[in-house]
Amino acid sequence: MIDTILITGATLPGGSQSDILVAGGVIRELGSIAAPAGSRRIDAAGLVALPGLVDLHTHLREPGFEQSETVLTGSQAAAAGGFTSIFAMANTLPVADTAGVVEQVLSLGQQAGYATVRPIGAVTRGLLGEQLSEIGAMAHSRAAVRVFSDDGKCVHDSLLMRRALEYVSSFDGVIAQHAQDPRLTEAAQMNEGSLSSELGLKGWPAVAEESIIARDVLLAEHVGARLHICHLSTAGSVEVIRWAKARGIRVTAEATPHHLLLTEDLVRSYDARYKVNPPLRRDEDVLALRAAIADGTIDIIATDHAPHPSESKECEWDSAAFGMVGLESALSVVQTALVDTNLVGWNDVARLLSATPAAIGGLIGAGAIRAGAAADITLHDPSTSSVFDVTDLAGKSVNSPYLGRQLSGSVRYTLHNGYLTLDDGLVVPAEVVAASARAGSQMEMGE
């Protein structure tokens, strides 16, 4: 049986305090609650209770690249960061472009039990940008895929992008576009500007992102489909999204924690932990993204968690892989960049990191702390501040750009479907979580 848990004295996102009673995998009651006999009590005085975080953009690497991450280890990293639902990108081996592969990823997530793992289907076969993948088969499979992306590669062919948008609109799916004109970014290594010239690195122009977004919002408007822009990174991109929303186009956009805090100046170190796609941008871009988060132009924050083995990062900059891990640090970075600077409050954090990504990804009933909802809850301590360390990483790779950096806050507890996956800052052992997940599954089936 799943334990009954009473969380006492938690601060809800709106600022009020409440006890939260969890039993049978759901939130039973909010208010002032007497502890039921035999229940586990968690003292949440001083902790903010957020609906379990939802990440619409992660790379879990399995199948095919298990040396970097697996669905299990990526889910453990998610639990450490307060995430209870994660969407896994399609750039695996084999590519997640068939019903069989997405169902495999779904099953691996269910077996691990740390989070709801929803596979993202590839837009094109093999991510090659030449033919549409088995979109319909994936949408109607057991995985019920609703988000499709070639992330890591741009769907650069205009006609193919139009057809993909038309296809997913038939079942209210969404195309999540990696906005990068491939011709404008050939051999690019960092943001294009005076610093790239100074460092002798091939520049990555902002227009390579902005031009694709401009094309795609017009295509989405033309066919009436939903479009989501991954890891938006420039001030110009913000303006395109703002214009599109003013026209009523069905577009949403995400920013990553690293694009809200870090700038291109870090590339001076030639430390490949700071090599990412899209690249770290200027101070002006960071400030524009923060403002767009605050005014609602950018809808969500997503990590683009991209693990790599050490040999892919501990090498010359030109040879290093693009990408950063980000699940474990995301909420602390959001607090540091947005909450501590008074740009957003905890209600906004709940919207940006839970309710809205859940809605975009089609997670029914997720993103709220209320009686009757699934007991996905994150308890965060905003009063702490510490230097982020390799011991804070729970996944398989250590390519974090935050190592050695002071960050605010810490996740103390994560509950997924009513059981603990993070207990007082420690990831719960895999066998315990798997047993809890099996027990919950049996309860749902009435066994």
Side-chain angles (χ1 to χ4, degrees), residues 86-177:
I86 50 178
F87 285 72
M89 281 292 177
N91 55 344
T92 52
L93 187 66
V95 170
D97 56 4
T98 66
V101 179
V102 296
E103 288 184 349
Q104 178 188 0
V105 174
L106 178 74
S107 294
L108 289 168
Q110 292 170 334
Q111 292 165 21
Y114 283 91
T116 296
V117 176
R118 292 292 298 271
I120 292 174
V123 178
T124 68
R125 293 183 184 178
L127 307 179
L128 297 176
E130 297 172 353
Q131 296 177 296
L132 290 182
S133 67
E134 296 181 9
I135 290 175
M138 289 186 281
H140 295 97
S141 71
R142 189 168 58 88
V145 177
R146 289 297 176 270
V147 183
F148 297 85
S149 180
D150 277 2
D151 185 65
K153 296 184 178 181
C154 177
V155 183
H156 58 87
D157 183 288
S158 300
L159 180 59
L160 202 62
M161 185 63 175
R162 173 184 173 167
R163 287 178 173 162
L165 288 165
E166 288 173 331
Y167 203 144
V168 300
S169 67
S170 66
F171 52 84
D172 198 33
V174 61
I175 300 294
Q177 174 69 296

Coordinates of all heavy atoms in Angstrom, one line a residue, residues 86-177:
I86 N 8.3 14.4 -16.9 CA 9.3 14.8 -17.8 C 9.0 14.3 -19.2 O 8.6 13.2 -19.4 CB 10.8 14.4 -17.4 CG1 10.8 12.9 -17.0 CG2 11.2 15.2 -16.2 CD1 12.2 12.4 -16.6
F87 N 9.3 15.1 -20.2 CA 9.1 14.7 -21.6 C 10.5 14.4 -22.2 O 11.4 15.3 -22.1 CB 8.4 15.8 -22.3 CG 6.9 15.9 -22.0 CD1 6.5 16.4 -20.8 CD2 6.0 15.5 -23.0 CE1 5.1 16.5 -20.5 CE2 4.6 15.7 -22.7 CZ 4.2 16.1 -21.4
A88 N 10.6 13.3 -22.8 CA 11.9 12.8 -23.3 C 12.0 13.0 -24.8 O 11.2 12.5 -25.6 CB 12.1 11.3 -23.0
M89 N 13.0 13.8 -25.3 CA 13.2 14.1 -26.7 C 13.5 12.8 -27.5 O 14.0 11.8 -26.9 CB 14.3 15.1 -26.8 CG 13.8 16.5 -26.6 SD 12.6 17.1 -27.8 CE 12.1 18.7 -27.2
A90 N 13.4 12.9 -28.8 CA 13.4 11.8 -29.7 C 14.7 11.4 -30.2 O 14.9 10.4 -30.9 CB 12.4 12.0 -30.9
N91 N 15.8 12.2 -29.9 CA 17.1 11.9 -30.5 C 17.8 10.8 -29.8 O 18.9 11.0 -29.2 CB 17.9 13.2 -30.7 CG 18.1 13.9 -29.3 OD1 17.4 13.7 -28.4 ND2 19.1 14.8 -29.3
T92 N 17.3 9.6 -29.9 CA 17.8 8.4 -29.3 C 18.3 7.5 -30.5 O 18.3 7.9 -31.6 CB 16.8 7.7 -28.5 OG1 15.6 7.5 -29.2 CG2 16.5 8.5 -27.2
L93 N 18.8 6.3 -30.1 CA 19.2 5.4 -31.2 C 18.6 4.0 -30.9 O 19.1 3.3 -29.9 CB 20.7 5.3 -31.3 CG 21.3 4.5 -32.4 CD1 21.0 5.1 -33.7 CD2 22.8 4.3 -32.3
P94 N 17.6 3.5 -31.5 CA 17.0 4.2 -32.7 C 16.2 5.4 -32.3 O 15.8 5.6 -31.1 CB 16.0 3.1 -33.2 CG 15.7 2.2 -32.0 CD 17.0 2.2 -31.2
V95 N 16.0 6.3 -33.3 CA 15.2 7.5 -33.1 C 13.8 7.1 -32.7 O 13.3 6.1 -33.2 CB 15.3 8.3 -34.4 CG1 14.3 9.5 -34.3 CG2 16.7 8.8 -34.7
A96 N 13.2 7.9 -31.8 CA 11.8 7.7 -31.4 C 10.9 8.2 -32.5 O 10.2 9.2 -32.4 CB 11.6 8.4 -30.1
D97 N 10.9 7.5 -33.6 CA 10.0 7.9 -34.8 C 9.0 6.8 -35.1 O 8.3 6.9 -36.2 CB 10.9 8.2 -36.0 CG 11.8 7.1 -36.4 OD1 11.8 6.0 -35.8 OD2 12.6 7.3 -37.4
T98 N 8.8 5.8 -34.2 CA 7.9 4.8 -34.4 C 7.1 4.5 -33.1 O 7.6 4.9 -32.0 CB 8.5 3.5 -34.9 OG1 9.3 2.9 -33.8 CG2 9.3 3.6 -36.1
A99 N 6.0 3.9 -33.2 CA 5.2 3.5 -32.0 C 6.0 2.6 -31.1 O 5.9 2.7 -29.9 CB 3.9 2.9 -32.4
G100 N 6.8 1.7 -31.7 CA 7.5 0.8 -30.8 C 8.5 1.4 -29.9 O 8.7 1.1 -28.8
V101 N 9.3 2.4 -30.5 CA 10.3 3.1 -29.6 C 9.6 4.0 -28.6 O 10.1 4.0 -27.4 CB 11.2 3.9 -30.5 CG1 12.3 4.7 -29.7 CG2 11.9 3.1 -31.5
V102 N 8.6 4.7 -28.9 CA 8.0 5.6 -27.9 C 7.4 4.7 -26.8 O 7.4 5.1 -25.6 CB 7.0 6.6 -28.5 CG1 7.7 7.6 -29.4 CG2 5.8 5.9 -29.2
E103 N 6.8 3.6 -27.1 CA 6.2 2.7 -26.1 C 7.3 2.1 -25.2 O 7.1 1.9 -24.0 CB 5.4 1.6 -26.8 CG 4.1 2.1 -27.4 CD 3.2 1.0 -27.9 OE1 3.7 -0.1 -28.1 OE2 2.1 1.3 -28.2
Q104 N 8.5 1.9 -25.8 CA 9.6 1.4 -25.0 C 10.0 2.5 -23.9 O 10.2 2.1 -22.8 CB 10.8 1.1 -25.9 CG 12.1 0.6 -25.1 CD 13.3 0.5 -26.0 OE1 13.3 0.7 -27.2 NE2 14.4 0.1 -25.4
V105 N 10.1 3.7 -24.4 CA 10.5 4.8 -23.4 C 9.4 4.9 -22.3 O 9.7 5.1 -21.2 CB 10.7 6.1 -24.2 CG1 10.9 7.3 -23.2 CG2 11.9 6.0 -25.2
L106 N 8.2 4.8 -22.8 CA 7.1 4.9 -21.8 C 7.2 3.8 -20.7 O 7.1 4.1 -19.5 CB 5.7 4.8 -22.5 CG 4.5 4.8 -21.6 CD1 4.2 6.2 -21.1 CD2 3.3 4.3 -22.4
S107 N 7.5 2.6 -21.2 CA 7.6 1.4 -20.3 C 8.8 1.6 -19.3 O 8.7 1.3 -18.1 CB 7.7 0.1 -21.1 OG 6.5 -0.1 -21.8
L108 N 9.9 2.1 -19.8 CA 11.1 2.3 -19.0 C 10.8 3.3 -17.9 O 11.2 3.2 -16.7 CB 12.2 2.8 -19.8 CG 12.9 1.7 -20.7 CD1 13.8 2.4 -21.7 CD2 13.6 0.7 -19.9
G109 N 10.0 4.4 -18.2 CA 9.6 5.3 -17.2 C 8.7 4.8 -16.2 O 8.9 5.0 -15.0
Q110 N 7.8 3.9 -16.6 CA 6.9 3.3 -15.6 C 7.6 2.4 -14.7 O 7.3 2.3 -13.5 CB 5.7 2.6 -16.4 CG 4.8 3.5 -17.1 CD 3.8 2.8 -18.1 OE1 4.1 1.7 -18.6 NE2 2.7 3.4 -18.3
Q111 N 8.5 1.6 -15.2 CA 9.3 0.7 -14.4 C 10.2 1.4 -13.4 O 10.3 1.0 -12.2 CB 10.2 -0.2 -15.3 CG 9.5 -1.1 -16.2 CD 10.3 -1.7 -17.3 OE1 11.6 -1.7 -17.2 NE2 9.7 -2.2 -18.3
A112 N 10.7 2.6 -13.8 CA 11.6 3.3 -12.9 C 10.8 3.9 -11.7 O 11.2 3.9 -10.6 CB 12.3 4.4 -13.6
G113 N 9.6 4.6 -12.1 CA 8.7 5.0 -11.1 C 9.0 6.4 -10.5 O 8.2 6.9 -9.6
Y114 N 10.1 7.0 -10.9 CA 10.4 8.3 -10.2 C 9.6 9.5 -10.8 O 9.5 10.5 -10.1 CB 11.9 8.6 -10.4 CG 12.8 7.9 -9.5 CD1 13.3 6.6 -9.9 CD2 13.1 8.4 -8.3 CE1 14.2 5.9 -9.1 CE2 14.0 7.7 -7.4 CZ 14.5 6.4 -7.8 OH 15.3 5.7 -7.0
A115 N 9.1 9.4 -12.0 CA 8.3 10.4 -12.6 C 7.5 9.9 -13.7 O 7.7 8.8 -14.2 CB 9.3 11.5 -13.2
T116 N 6.5 10.6 -14.1 CA 5.7 10.3 -15.4 C 6.6 10.7 -16.5 O 7.0 11.8 -16.7 CB 4.4 11.1 -15.4 OG1 3.6 10.7 -14.3 CG2 3.7 10.9 -16.8
V117 N 7.0 9.7 -17.3 CA 7.9 9.9 -18.5 C 7.1 9.8 -19.7 O 6.5 8.8 -20.0 CB 9.1 8.9 -18.5 CG1 9.9 9.1 -19.8 CG2 9.9 9.0 -17.3
R118 N 7.0 11.0 -20.4 CA 6.2 11.0 -21.7 C 7.1 11.2 -22.8 O 7.9 12.1 -22.9 CB 5.2 12.2 -21.6 CG 4.1 12.0 -20.6 CD 3.1 10.9 -21.0 NE 2.4 11.2 -22.2 CZ 1.3 11.9 -22.4 NH1 0.7 12.3 -21.3 NH2 0.7 12.0 -23.5
P119 N 7.2 10.2 -23.8 CA 8.0 10.3 -24.9 C 7.6 11.4 -25.9 O 6.4 11.6 -26.1 CB 8.0 9.0 -25.6 CG 6.7 8.4 -25.1 CD 6.4 9.0 -23.7
I120 N 8.5 12.1 -26.5 CA 8.3 13.0 -27.6 C 8.6 12.3 -28.9 O 9.7 11.7 -29.0 CB 9.1 14.3 -27.4 CG1 8.6 15.1 -26.2 CG2 9.1 15.2 -28.7 CD1 9.5 16.3 -25.9
G121 N 7.7 12.3 -29.9 CA 8.0 11.7 -31.1 C 8.7 12.5 -32.1 O 8.6 13.8 -32.1
A122 N 9.6 11.9 -32.9 CA 10.3 12.7 -34.0 C 9.3 13.2 -35.0 O 8.3 12.5 -35.3 CB 11.3 11.8 -34.6
V123 N 9.6 14.4 -35.5 CA 8.7 14.9 -36.6 C 9.1 14.2 -37.9 O 8.2 13.8 -38.7 CB 9.0 16.4 -36.8 CG1 8.2 16.9 -38.0 CG2 8.6 17.1 -35.5
T124 N 10.4 13.9 -38.2 CA 10.8 13.3 -39.4 C 11.5 12.0 -39.1 O 12.1 11.8 -38.1 CB 11.7 14.2 -40.2 OG1 12.9 14.4 -39.6 CG2 11.0 15.6 -40.5
R125 N 11.5 11.1 -40.1 CA 12.1 9.8 -40.0 C 13.7 10.0 -39.8 O 14.3 10.6 -40.6 CB 11.9 8.9 -41.2 CG 10.4 8.5 -41.4 CD 10.3 7.6 -42.6 NE 8.9 7.3 -42.8 CZ 8.4 6.5 -43.8 NH1 9.3 6.0 -44.7 NH2 7.1 6.3 -44.0
G126 N 14.1 9.4 -38.7 CA 15.6 9.4 -38.4 C 16.1 10.8 -38.2 O 17.3 11.0 -38.2
L127 N 15.2 11.8 -37.9 CA 15.6 13.2 -37.7 C 16.3 13.8 -38.9 O 17.1 14.7 -38.8 CB 16.5 13.4 -36.5 CG 16.0 12.8 -35.2 CD1 17.0 13.0 -34.0 CD2 14.6 13.4 -34.8
L128 N 16.1 13.2 -40.1 CA 16.8 13.6 -41.3 C 16.1 14.7 -42.1 O 16.7 15.3 -43.0 CB 16.9 12.4 -42.2 CG 17.7 11.2 -41.7 CD1 17.7 10.0 -42.7 CD2 19.2 11.6 -41.4
G129 N 14.9 15.1 -41.7 CA 14.3 16.2 -42.3 C 13.8 16.0 -43.7 O 13.6 16.9 -44.5
E130 N 13.6 14.7 -44.1 CA 13.2 14.4 -45.4 C 11.8 13.8 -45.6 O 11.1 14.2 -46.5 CB 14.2 13.4 -46.0 CG 15.6 13.9 -46.1 CD 16.6 12.8 -46.4 OE1 16.2 11.6 -46.5 OE2 17.8 13.2 -46.6
Q131 N 11.3 13.0 -44.6 CA 10.0 12.4 -44.7 C 9.4 12.5 -43.3 O 10.1 12.3 -42.3 CB 10.1 11.0 -45.1 CG 10.5 10.7 -46.5 CD 10.6 9.3 -46.8 OE1 11.4 8.5 -46.2 NE2 9.8 8.8 -47.8
L132 N 8.1 12.7 -43.2 CA 7.4 12.6 -41.9 C 7.6 11.3 -41.3 O 7.5 10.2 -41.9 CB 6.0 13.0 -42.1 CG 5.6 14.5 -42.4 CD1 4.1 14.7 -42.5 CD2 6.3 15.5 -41.4
S133 N 7.7 11.3 -40.0 CA 7.7 10.0 -39.2 C 6.3 9.4 -39.1 O 5.4 9.9 -39.6 CB 8.3 10.3 -37.8 OG 7.4 11.1 -37.1
E134 N 6.2 8.4 -38.3 CA 4.9 7.7 -38.1 C 4.1 8.5 -37.0 O 3.8 8.0 -35.9 CB 5.1 6.3 -37.6 CG 5.8 5.4 -38.7 CD 6.0 4.0 -38.2 OE1 5.4 3.6 -37.1 OE2 6.7 3.2 -38.9
I135 N 3.8 9.7 -37.3 CA 3.1 10.6 -36.4 C 1.8 10.0 -35.9 O 1.5 10.0 -34.7 CB 2.9 12.0 -37.0 CG1 4.3 12.7 -37.1 CG2 2.0 12.8 -36.1 CD1 4.2 14.0 -37.8
G136 N 1.0 9.6 -36.8 CA -0.3 9.0 -36.4 C -0.2 7.8 -35.5 O -0.9 7.6 -34.6
A137 N 0.7 6.9 -35.9 CA 0.9 5.7 -35.1 C 1.4 6.0 -33.7 O 0.9 5.3 -32.7 CB 1.9 4.7 -35.8
M138 N 2.3 6.9 -33.6 CA 2.7 7.3 -32.2 C 1.6 8.0 -31.4 O 1.5 7.8 -30.2 CB 4.0 8.2 -32.3 CG 5.2 7.5 -32.8 SD 6.7 8.6 -32.8 CE 6.5 9.5 -34.3
A139 N 0.8 8.8 -32.1 CA -0.3 9.5 -31.4 C -1.3 8.5 -30.9 O -1.9 8.7 -29.8 CB -0.9 10.5 -32.3
H140 N -1.5 7.4 -31.6 CA -2.6 6.5 -31.2 C -2.0 5.2 -30.6 O -2.7 4.3 -30.3 CB -3.4 6.1 -32.5 CG -4.2 7.2 -33.1 ND1 -3.7 8.0 -34.1 CD2 -5.3 7.8 -32.7 CE1 -4.6 8.9 -34.4 NE2 -5.6 8.8 -33.5
S141 N -0.7 5.3 -30.2 CA -0.1 4.2 -29.5 C -0.4 4.2 -28.0 O -1.1 5.2 -27.5 CB 1.4 4.2 -29.7 OG 2.0 5.3 -29.0
R142 N 0.1 3.3 -27.3 CA -0.1 3.3 -25.8 C 0.5 4.5 -25.2 O 0.1 5.0 -24.2 CB 0.5 2.0 -25.2 CG 0.2 1.8 -23.8 CD 0.6 0.4 -23.4 NE 2.0 0.1 -23.6 CZ 3.0 0.3 -22.8 NH1 2.7 0.9 -21.6 NH2 4.2 0.0 -23.1
A143 N 1.6 5.1 -25.9 CA 2.2 6.2 -25.3 C 1.4 7.5 -25.6 O 1.7 8.5 -24.9 CB 3.6 6.4 -26.0
A144 N 0.5 7.5 -26.5 CA -0.4 8.6 -26.7 C 0.4 9.9 -26.9 O 0.1 10.9 -26.3 CB -1.5 8.8 -25.6
V145 N 1.4 9.9 -27.8 CA 2.3 11.0 -28.0 C 1.5 12.3 -28.5 O 0.7 12.2 -29.4 CB 3.4 10.7 -29.0 CG1 4.3 11.9 -29.3 CG2 4.2 9.5 -28.5
R146 N 1.7 13.4 -27.9 CA 1.1 14.7 -28.3 C 2.1 15.7 -28.7 O 1.7 16.8 -29.3 CB 0.2 15.2 -27.2 CG -1.1 14.4 -27.0 CD -2.0 14.4 -28.2 NE -3.2 13.6 -28.1 CZ -3.2 12.3 -28.5 NH1 -2.1 11.7 -29.0 NH2 -4.3 11.6 -28.4
V147 N 3.4 15.5 -28.3 CA 4.4 16.5 -28.7 C 5.4 15.8 -29.6 O 5.9 14.7 -29.4 CB 5.2 17.0 -27.4 CG1 6.2 18.1 -27.8 CG2 4.2 17.5 -26.4
F148 N 5.7 16.5 -30.7 CA 6.6 16.0 -31.7 C 7.7 17.0 -32.0 O 7.5 18.2 -32.1 CB 5.8 15.7 -33.0 CG 4.8 14.6 -32.8 CD1 3.5 15.0 -32.4 CD2 5.1 13.3 -33.1 CE1 2.6 14.0 -32.2 CE2 4.1 12.3 -32.9 CZ 2.9 12.6 -32.4
S149 N 9.0 16.5 -32.1 CA 10.1 17.4 -32.2 C 11.3 16.7 -32.8 O 11.5 15.5 -32.5 CB 10.5 18.1 -30.9 OG 11.6 18.9 -31.0
D150 N 12.0 17.4 -33.6 CA 13.3 16.9 -34.1 C 14.5 17.6 -33.3 O 15.6 17.7 -33.8 CB 13.5 17.2 -35.6 CG 12.9 16.1 -36.5 OD1 12.2 15.2 -36.0 OD2 13.0 16.2 -37.7
D151 N 14.2 17.9 -32.1 CA 15.1 18.8 -31.3 C 16.5 18.2 -31.4 O 16.8 17.0 -31.3 CB 14.7 18.8 -29.9 CG 15.6 19.8 -29.1 OD1 15.6 21.0 -29.4 OD2 16.4 19.3 -28.2
G152 N 17.4 19.2 -31.5 CA 18.8 18.9 -31.9 C 19.0 19.2 -33.4 O 20.1 19.5 -33.8
K153 N 17.9 19.1 -34.1 CA 17.9 19.5 -35.5 C 16.6 20.3 -35.8 O 15.6 20.1 -35.2 CB 18.0 18.3 -36.4 CG 19.2 17.5 -36.3 CD 19.3 16.3 -37.3 CE 20.6 15.6 -37.2 NZ 20.6 14.4 -38.2
C154 N 16.7 21.2 -36.7 CA 15.6 22.0 -37.1 C 14.8 21.4 -38.3 O 15.4 20.8 -39.2 CB 16.1 23.4 -37.5 SG 14.8 24.5 -38.1
V155 N 13.5 21.4 -38.2 CA 12.7 21.0 -39.4 C 12.8 22.2 -40.3 O 12.0 23.2 -40.2 CB 11.3 20.7 -39.0 CG1 10.5 20.2 -40.2 CG2 11.2 19.6 -37.9
H156 N 13.8 22.2 -41.2 CA 14.1 23.4 -42.0 C 13.4 23.5 -43.3 O 13.2 24.6 -43.9 CB 15.6 23.5 -42.2 CG 16.2 22.4 -42.9 ND1 16.2 22.3 -44.3 CD2 16.8 21.2 -42.5 CE1 16.8 21.2 -44.6 NE2 17.1 20.5 -43.6
D157 N 12.8 22.4 -43.8 CA 12.1 22.4 -45.0 C 10.7 23.0 -44.8 O 9.9 22.4 -44.0 CB 12.0 21.0 -45.5 CG 11.3 20.9 -46.9 OD1 10.1 21.1 -46.9 OD2 12.0 20.6 -47.9
S158 N 10.3 24.0 -45.4 CA 9.1 24.7 -45.1 C 7.9 23.9 -45.4 O 6.9 23.9 -44.7 CB 9.0 26.0 -46.0 OG 10.1 26.9 -45.7
L159 N 7.9 23.1 -46.6 CA 6.7 22.3 -46.9 C 6.6 21.2 -45.9 O 5.4 20.9 -45.5 CB 6.9 21.8 -48.3 CG 5.8 20.9 -48.9 CD1 4.5 21.6 -48.9 CD2 6.1 20.4 -50.3
L160 N 7.7 20.6 -45.5 CA 7.6 19.5 -44.5 C 7.0 20.0 -43.2 O 6.2 19.3 -42.6 CB 9.0 18.9 -44.4 CG 9.0 17.4 -43.8 CD1 8.3 16.5 -44.8 CD2 10.4 17.0 -43.6
M161 N 7.5 21.2 -42.8 CA 7.0 21.8 -41.6 C 5.5 22.1 -41.7 O 4.7 21.8 -40.7 CB 7.8 23.0 -41.2 CG 7.4 23.7 -39.9 SD 7.8 22.6 -38.5 CE 7.4 23.6 -37.1
R162 N 5.1 22.6 -42.8 CA 3.6 22.8 -43.0 C 2.8 21.5 -42.8 O 1.8 21.5 -42.1 CB 3.4 23.5 -44.3 CG 1.9 23.6 -44.6 CD 1.6 24.1 -46.0 NE 0.1 24.1 -46.2 CZ -0.5 24.7 -47.2 NH1 0.2 25.4 -48.1 NH2 -1.8 24.5 -47.4
R163 N 3.3 20.5 -43.5 CA 2.6 19.2 -43.4 C 2.5 18.6 -42.0 O 1.5 18.1 -41.6 CB 3.2 18.2 -44.4 CG 2.8 18.6 -45.9 CD 3.5 17.7 -46.9 NE 3.0 18.0 -48.2 CZ 3.6 17.7 -49.3 NH1 4.7 16.9 -49.3 NH2 3.1 18.0 -50.5
A164 N 3.6 18.8 -41.3 CA 3.7 18.3 -39.9 C 2.7 19.1 -39.1 O 1.9 18.5 -38.2 CB 5.1 18.4 -39.3
L165 N 2.6 20.4 -39.2 CA 1.6 21.2 -38.5 C 0.2 20.8 -38.8 O -0.6 20.7 -37.9 CB 1.9 22.7 -38.7 CG 3.1 23.3 -38.1 CD1 3.5 24.6 -38.8 CD2 3.0 23.4 -36.6
E166 N -0.1 20.6 -40.1 CA -1.4 20.1 -40.5 C -1.7 18.8 -39.9 O -2.9 18.6 -39.4 CB -1.5 20.1 -42.0 CG -1.5 21.4 -42.7 CD -1.4 21.3 -44.2 OE1 -0.8 20.3 -44.7 OE2 -1.9 22.2 -44.9
Y167 N -0.8 17.9 -39.9 CA -1.0 16.5 -39.4 C -1.4 16.5 -37.9 O -2.4 16.0 -37.5 CB 0.2 15.7 -39.6 CG -0.1 14.2 -39.6 CD1 0.7 13.3 -40.5 CD2 -1.0 13.6 -38.8 CE1 0.4 12.0 -40.6 CE2 -1.2 12.2 -38.9 CZ -0.5 11.4 -39.7 OH -0.7 10.1 -39.8
V168 N -0.6 17.2 -37.1 CA -0.8 17.2 -35.6 C -2.1 18.0 -35.2 O -2.7 17.7 -34.2 CB 0.4 17.7 -34.8 CG1 1.6 16.8 -35.1 CG2 0.7 19.2 -35.1
S169 N -2.5 18.9 -36.1 CA -3.7 19.7 -35.7 C -4.9 18.8 -35.7 O -5.9 19.2 -35.1 CB -3.9 20.9 -36.7 OG -4.1 20.4 -38.0
S170 N -4.9 17.7 -36.4 CA -6.0 16.8 -36.5 C -6.4 16.1 -35.1 O -7.5 15.7 -34.9 CB -5.8 15.7 -37.5 OG -4.8 14.8 -37.2
F171 N -5.4 16.1 -34.2 CA -5.6 15.5 -32.9 C -5.1 16.5 -31.8 O -4.9 16.1 -30.7 CB -5.0 14.1 -32.7 CG -3.5 14.1 -33.1 CD1 -2.5 14.4 -32.1 CD2 -3.1 13.6 -34.3 CE1 -1.2 14.3 -32.5 CE2 -1.8 13.6 -34.7 CZ -0.8 13.9 -33.7
D172 N -5.0 17.8 -32.1 CA -4.5 18.8 -31.2 C -3.2 18.5 -30.6 O -2.9 18.8 -29.4 CB -5.5 19.1 -30.1 CG -5.3 20.4 -29.4 OD1 -4.9 21.4 -30.1 OD2 -5.5 20.5 -28.2
G173 N -2.3 17.9 -31.4 CA -0.9 17.8 -31.0 C -0.1 19.1 -31.2 O -0.7 20.1 -31.7
V174 N 1.1 19.1 -31.0 CA 2.0 20.3 -31.1 C 3.3 19.9 -31.7 O 3.9 18.9 -31.3 CB 2.1 21.0 -29.7 CG1 2.8 20.1 -28.7 CG2 2.8 22.3 -29.9
I175 N 3.8 20.7 -32.5 CA 5.2 20.6 -33.0 C 6.1 21.5 -32.2 O 5.8 22.7 -32.1 CB 5.3 21.0 -34.5 CG1 4.4 20.1 -35.4 CG2 6.8 21.0 -35.0 CD1 4.8 18.7 -35.4
A176 N 7.1 20.9 -31.6 CA 8.1 21.7 -30.8 C 9.3 21.9 -31.6 O 10.1 21.0 -31.9 CB 8.4 21.0 -29.5
Q177 N 9.5 23.1 -32.1 CA 10.6 23.4 -33.1 C 11.9 23.8 -32.5 O 11.9 24.7 -31.6 CB 10.1 24.5 -34.1 CG 11.1 25.0 -35.1 CD 11.5 23.9 -36.2 OE1 12.1 22.9 -35.8 NE2 11.2 24.2 -37.4

